[in-house]
Amino acid sequence: MAKVLMKGNEAIGAAAIEAGCRYFFGYPITPQSELPEYMARELPKVGGVFLQAESEIAAINMVYGAAGAGARVMTSSSSPGISLKQEGISYIAGAELPCLIVNIMRGGPGLGSILPSQTDYFQATRGGGNGDYRLVVLAPSNVQELVDLVIEGFDIADQYRNPVMILGDGMIGQMMEPVELRKPKQRELPPKDWATDGTKDKRKPNIINSLYLAAEELEAHNQRLQEKYKKIMENEVKVESYNIEDADVVIAAYGTISRIAKTAISQLEKEGYKVGLIRPITLWPYPYDEFEKINDKCKGILTVEMNTGQMVDDVKIAVKGKFPVYFHGRTGGMVPTPDEIIDKVKKIYGGEI
Amino acid sequence: MILEDKRIRIIVGHYGSGKSEFSINYAVKLGQKKDKVVLVDLDIVNLYFRSREKEEELKKLGVKLIGSSIKGLGADLPAVSAEIYGPIQDESFDLVIDVGGDPVGARVLGMYSQYFTKGNYDMFFVLNANRPETQTVEKAMEYLKKIENASRLKVTGIVNNTHLLKSTTYKDVLKGQTLAEELSHQLNIPIKYVSALEHVAKDLPANLTGQIFPIKLYLREEWMV
């Protein structure tokens, strides 16, 4: 297929339909509303259902129902709307149902602003809902990768019976870029023999539930979940890294910010600096092991985010105190510039911070 | 020639076709030749990448920008500025109106329709053959007609702005030209401009229908593709 030009939010919709998603339940919120708009227009053409729910809470519970019946289903929102969905997300994780949840992040806390941010890293990776659960969190840095991860995300969700979240900043949703729809590597997907799609008098009814009355049963359920999460940690880590074997400073950044970091790195290289990059593509499971490959002479790790310091905690866990960890962040919709990053790297080089 | 176009130039099209970049480039070129050039950002559809982000830069280039009456880039309110009525009515101004994408964006034009009469405005339809919704003549024609209906105005010229952002080649432009020619033929609307990045424009054959219009990208940051 030849490349076409698509806005991130539209591209998510096109990729989801390509992946076989036929159900979308959501509620509009800037800066992701092009996505429900796209689904409202396109899903009926392929025999699917688009439904604008009365609220985010209703939408996520419709996803719970559709996923329980075995459908490929998606919802999307932006930061405050994702906060509203947290109860449902916890139920879906507890009941082990596959679905795709898209968060195109805007400024916070509260209503914040409509401008881009990365302030929901904690919420996405540490669980905004209750209980010991995990979401697979995918963080694309361009629209092509966004499309690829949406398509693969549905497969990951089905393979592990687990909700998958696409975490993009507002820029990813709003940016136009050339894309093509392409299939990911084939995965062995288990049959959905747990789905509540009718017994046809041939089996006992399936029950979708996250309530356990007996302590032993809930503990056993949690242990099963943890074993599943361990498998995901072993199999599903995605990371891009650059020159970490040789770099004097390594930048850790994800999403749009990693691209600004790359621009800064190529400028710094022209001036003779050796700077590497670790770009987590999965934020959970986090690519902790990648940081082990950083050379011993590295002067420090600079984490750059569009928040006041969230992923930087995972970077500290990853380096285990071996290197100093520095942070540069902007908030409120202010996007860090390559020059700011260059300045910070030079200060680390010069021992000024 | 941009000086031969009507005093009021209205730029419409599907979102993603490149209306804002074309509008800014057009206004800047006009600003080099005329003293009182106003660029009106009527976009109530997009949130990011709007002409109004470049108010200061445009001022230095001789173009006055009128955006929303509500200041601040974080507003997605459909609020247009009353200031727009000035240059629409005062014939000493040259005006470029950057309209929001799609029929929904063009609907805003309806409130000014009493000031636009046949022959006193040009309305240019910006076409990008690399956008999925305007890849065929049928689809492009449908968009054009819907925009005309929503705005209650008539398209007077087609702008072939077929691109893939910074990875555009002359082949993209020529592909778009074939589409633009067919659209032009079917609707009897002339191709006015063939707009392309400066280095791409150099590779284009000189005999294309419509004036070759080299542009710079004002709204894409260095790190964007």
Side-chain angles (χ1 to χ4, degrees):
Chain A
M1 186 191 129
K3 284 193 174 176
V4 292
L5 195 64
M6 291 188 101
K7 197 177 208 178
N9 286 331
E10 290 178 308
I12 297 170
I17 290 173
E18 177 72 18
C21 170
R22 291 294 178 269
Y23 299 89
F24 180 97
F25 307 104
Y27 190 85
I29 181 171
T30 306
Q32 63 80 56
S33 293
E34 293 87 353
L35 172 52
E37 195 182 346
Y38 183 92
M39 291 310 234
R41 194 181 73 217
E42 297 298 327
L43 269 177
K45 293 183 192 168
V46 292
V49 172
F50 165 88
L51 200 149
Q52 181 175 318
E54 66 269 35
S55 71
E56 285 85 350
I57 299 168
I60 192 69
N61 283 292
M62 290 172 185
V63 170
Y64 186 25
R72 276 211 157 168
V73 56
M74 176 164 96
T75 187
S76 72
S77 192
S78 178
S79 308
I82 294 291
S83 296
L84 282 165
K85 291 183 206 268
Q86 290 303 325
E87 179 193 61
I89 292 172
S90 171
Y91 278 45
I92 290 168
E96 292 191 84
L97 297 177
C99 68
L100 199 77
I101 300 156
V102 178
N103 181 4
I104 298 298
M105 292 180 279
R106 57 187 258 177
L111 279 174
S113 88
I114 63 162
L115 294 169
S117 91
Q118 295 181 319
T119 48
D120 305 342
Y121 183 93
F122 284 156
Q123 186 192 53
T125 62
R126 302 305 193 257
N130 63 298
D132 277 324
Y133 75 92
R134 292 291 191 175
L135 301 177
V136 176
V137 183
L138 307 173
S141 73
N142 60 53
V143 180
Q144 182 63 58
E145 192 176 47
L146 172 65
V147 160
D148 295 343
L149 289 176
V150 165
I151 295 176
E152 194 179 2
F154 279 105
D155 282 354
I156 295 172
D158 277 351
Q159 183 175 338
Y160 298 98
R161 286 185 61 182
N162 206 69
V164 170
M165 177 174 274
I166 298 282
L167 192 69
D169 57 77
M171 206 62 96
I172 284 282
Q174 290 297 319
M175 200 158 32
M176 288 263 178
E177 281 183 352
V179 290
E180 60 181 325
L181 298 176
R182 52 194 187 192
K183 291 267 180 219
K185 68 173 193 317
Q186 198 76 28
R187 284 173 187 257
E188 287 276 327
L189 298 181
K192 293 185 173 181
D193 50 14
W194 42 263
T196 53
D197 55 355
T199 65
K200 301 172 188 74
D201 282 337
K202 285 182 181 159
R203 60 166 168 79
K204 286 194 169 169
N206 287 331
I207 296 169
I208 302 293
N209 182 30
S210 67
L211 177 68
Y212 292 81
L213 295 179
E216 297 83 358
E217 280 179 30
L218 181 55
E219 187 175 51
H221 174 56
N222 267 293
Q223 281 163 352
R224 229 179 16 254
L225 288 179
Q226 291 304 317
E227 277 160 31
K228 176 171 87 176
Y229 298 149
K230 206 168 147 238
K231 259 191 214 135
I232 298 175
M233 285 191 269
E234 282 163 12
N235 298 337
E236 301 299 339
V237 170
K238 288 183 201 289
V239 61
E240 177 195 350
S241 61
Y242 171 72
N243 201 24
I244 54 179
E245 299 80 9
D246 191 38
D248 292 325
V249 174
V250 171
I251 297 174
Y254 71 97
T256 311
I257 304 307
S258 65
R259 295 170 62 174
I260 302 171
K262 282 180 186 174
T263 304
I265 290 169
S266 57
Q267 181 58 40
L268 283 160
E269 280 177 345
K270 281 182 202 147
E271 298 177 35
Y273 294 91
K274 289 192 284 185
V275 186
L277 176 75
I278 293 182
R279 175 175 79 89
I281 300 168
T282 49
L283 302 181
W284 193 88
Y286 196 77
Y288 293 112
D289 292 347
E290 197 66 16
F291 290 78
E292 307 273 347
K293 298 178 196 162
I294 298 172
N295 74 87
D296 292 343
K297 288 183 194 136
C298 180
K299 295 174 198 291
I301 319 295
L302 173 64
T303 308
V304 187
E305 298 178 71
M306 272 198 286
N307 56 42
T308 56
Q310 299 194 15
M311 186 183 79
V312 68
D313 284 2
D314 274 326
V315 173
K316 284 176 185 164
I317 292 169
V319 303
K320 300 173 187 147
K322 190 173 165 191
F323 306 109
V325 173
Y326 304 95
F327 176 74
H328 179 68
R330 298 296 301 267
T331 61
M334 301 299 291
V335 180
T337 63
D339 285 343
E340 288 170 23
I341 298 173
I342 289 168
D343 184 54
K344 223 41 187 209
V345 169
K346 286 182 179 173
K347 282 188 174 144
I348 295 169
Y349 250 88
E352 291 169 52
I353 49 170
Chain B
M1 259 318 288
I2 57 173
L3 292 176
E4 287 153 24
D5 294 335
K6 300 284 186 287
R7 184 180 72 83
I8 297 170
R9 295 93 166 161
I10 303 165
I11 317 297
V12 296
H14 181 32
Y15 78 80
S17 54
K19 292 175 305 301
S20 293
E21 293 286 9
F22 179 77
S23 301
I24 293 174
N25 277 275
Y26 189 103
V28 168
K29 277 192 218 292
L30 201 54
Q32 289 160 359
K33 296 179 189 336
K34 293 288 209 70
D35 290 334
K36 294 165 82 174
V37 175
V38 171
L39 172 62
V40 174
D41 177 359
L42 264 194
D43 193 340
I44 56 157
V45 175
N46 274 305
L47 319 161
Y48 304 174
F49 310 113
R50 296 183 292 199
S51 306
R52 69 193 67 158
E53 294 171 18
K54 299 294 163 191
E55 186 169 356
E56 284 307 308
E57 198 176 335
L58 285 166
K59 200 173 166 183
K60 286 180 201 144
L61 294 166
V63 176
K64 178 182 164 57
L65 184 121
I66 301 177
S68 177
S69 55
I70 296 169
K71 295 294 171 197
L73 298 175
D76 61 340
L77 301 163
V80 295
S81 172
E83 215 185 336
I84 294 164
Y85 287 105
I88 286 181
Q89 294 173 78
D90 182 342
E91 292 184 7
S92 67
F93 282 93
D94 273 83
L95 195 56
V96 181
I97 305 179
D98 175 13
V99 183
D102 294 0
V104 64
R107 194 188 295 173
V108 187
L109 282 170
M111 70 187 279
Y112 307 107
S113 62
Q114 58 173 304
Y115 300 103
F116 304 136
T117 50
K118 198 180 167 198
N120 86 341
Y121 70 87
D122 266 314
M123 185 155 88
F124 297 141
F125 179 75
V126 179
L127 177 68
N128 181 0
N130 282 329
R131 286 282 290 152
E133 290 306 305
T134 51
Q135 280 188 313
T136 64
V137 177
E138 292 73 29
K139 282 178 155 186
M141 199 148 42
E142 193 187 327
Y143 257 96
L144 190 148
K145 287 289 172 200
K146 280 184 180 168
I147 287 172
E148 284 188 333
N149 290 341
S151 64
R152 295 181 248 162
L153 301 171
K154 291 287 174 197
V155 172
T156 61
I158 294 165
V159 177
N160 170 21
N161 188 46
T162 299
H163 70 93
L164 271 179
L165 295 161
K166 292 176 190 169
S167 51
T168 310
T169 70
Y170 74 97
K171 286 181 187 161
D172 292 300
V173 183
L174 294 183
K175 180 176 85 178
Q177 189 70 4
T178 308
L179 181 72
E181 277 167 9
E182 210 172 319
L183 186 67
S184 166
H185 177 73
Q186 293 213 12
L187 296 173
N188 200 24
I189 299 171
I191 300 173
K192 279 288 178 76
Y193 297 102
V194 181
S195 148
L197 290 172
E198 284 167 347
H199 71 273
V200 178
K202 278 188 205 134
D203 297 338
L204 292 172
N207 61 354
L208 294 177
T209 313
Q211 189 191 331
I212 292 177
F213 193 86
I215 60 165
K216 287 186 177 67
L217 293 180
Y218 285 88
L219 297 169
R220 303 290 290 187
E221 302 289 341
E222 184 192 0
W223 55 268
M224 295 179 186
V225 296

